[in-house]
Amino acid sequence: MKKRKAVLAAVIAAGMLTGCLGRSGSNALNAESSRIFVTGDGVLQTATVETYAEKDYYNAEELKAYLEEAALAYNKAHGEGAVTLDSCSMEKGTARMIFNYKSGDDLSGFAYEYEDKDNQVDSISVHAFSEILGQSEAEGISFLKASDGKPAEKKELSHREQSHAVVVESKHPVTIQTEGKLLFVSDNVVIKDQNTVQTAEGKSYIIFK
């Protein structure tokens, strides 16, 4: 187990993800950079993106096996289907790998266990906004409108109670992309585009269609 983890960590750190492909198919995840992708149905994915030098080389089939073994080892400890390798590829000096997760706990656990530092969070969960609106108010959270960055009024928030909410806690900033268009974010979140944010250290709220 320790040997497998060490090899995988070394591969990721070196960016030697060499041309292995998992299942094909399209989704809304933008894997141009490392990030967590969240859908309104609670589907969670991570993309880990690394650069590599031409001198770095790793057998594609062996690498694919390492990644699948990492997922298998995690699943043996945490339940079948907790994490699956979606795809991995290498092109023009950039390597990408995408994993799917059964729950936020699995994403957090796998990212920490296999040292995916770009996507490490203490917790991540997806809710109906109505479920956590009262909680956010009790915590004194101030929301900004994603459209213009201005403070959101309580009435505006209440009209969007059926929207989706991501609640994230982390020790450092992470990038999160939502399936639907952003509506509101807590005032410690940086908006990158209409679907993407960078969270802050601590607890962040992200509301989307």
Side-chain angles (χ1 to χ4, degrees):
M1 179 69 174
K2 288 183 179 180
K3 182 178 180 181
R4 175 163 51 240
K5 286 170 62 178
V7 171
L8 179 61
V11 170
I12 295 172
M16 296 185 293
L17 298 175
T18 310
C20 57
L21 297 177
R23 66 179 178 82
S24 60
S26 61
N27 57 41
L29 171 62
N30 177 0
E32 291 303 307
S33 61
S34 296
R35 64 188 58 205
I36 297 170
F37 176 66
V38 184
T39 75
D41 294 330
V43 173
L44 295 166
Q45 293 182 304
T46 56
T48 304
V49 182
E50 302 281 354
T51 58
Y52 63 90
E54 290 300 325
K55 62 183 180 63
D56 292 332
Y57 178 79
Y58 202 86
N59 181 276
E61 290 304 315
E62 288 183 348
L63 175 60
K64 183 172 182 288
Y66 276 129
L67 298 176
E68 290 176 338
E69 285 177 22
L72 179 61
Y74 186 88
N75 292 341
K76 284 182 177 179
H78 300 277
E80 184 177 355
V83 56
T84 56
L85 175 66
D86 184 286
S87 64
C88 54
S89 63
M90 185 185 79
E91 184 179 9
K92 297 180 180 178
T94 301
R96 297 176 174 86
M97 68 178 179
I98 298 172
F99 282 97
N100 304 318
Y101 303 90
K102 192 174 183 178
S103 71
D105 288 343
D106 293 318
L107 188 160
S108 175
F110 188 78
Y112 272 106
E113 190 165 343
Y114 290 96
E115 300 183 9
D116 181 1
K117 295 181 180 180
D118 287 338
N119 295 313
Q120 285 179 353
V121 294
D122 294 328
S123 67
I124 183 169
S125 54
V126 186
H127 311 264
F129 188 27
S130 58
E131 295 176 0
I132 58 90
L133 181 55
Q135 170 188 320
S136 64
E137 290 176 343
E139 293 174 354
I141 301 298
S142 297
F143 285 97
L144 304 178
K145 293 183 285 187
S147 58
D148 58 15
K150 295 180 179 180
E153 296 181 1
K154 187 174 181 177
K155 185 177 181 180
E156 293 176 297
L157 298 174
S158 63
H159 285 168
R160 291 291 191 170
E161 285 190 341
Q162 297 310 308
S163 302
H164 308 291
V166 186
V167 184
V168 186
E169 294 191 62
S170 61
K171 294 182 176 64
H172 57 81
V174 294
T175 298
I176 295 181
Q177 177 193 344
T178 57
E179 177 187 34
K181 187 177 180 180
L182 295 169
L183 297 173
F184 310 104
V185 297
S186 51
D187 61 6
N188 60 342
V189 169
V190 177
I191 298 171
K192 297 296 186 179
D193 60 41
Q194 66 178 5
N195 296 90
T196 311
V197 303
Q198 184 178 63
T199 68
E201 178 183 356
K203 193 172 189 178
S204 303
Y205 288 84
I206 305 150
I207 316 305
F208 66 100
K209 287 185 177 179

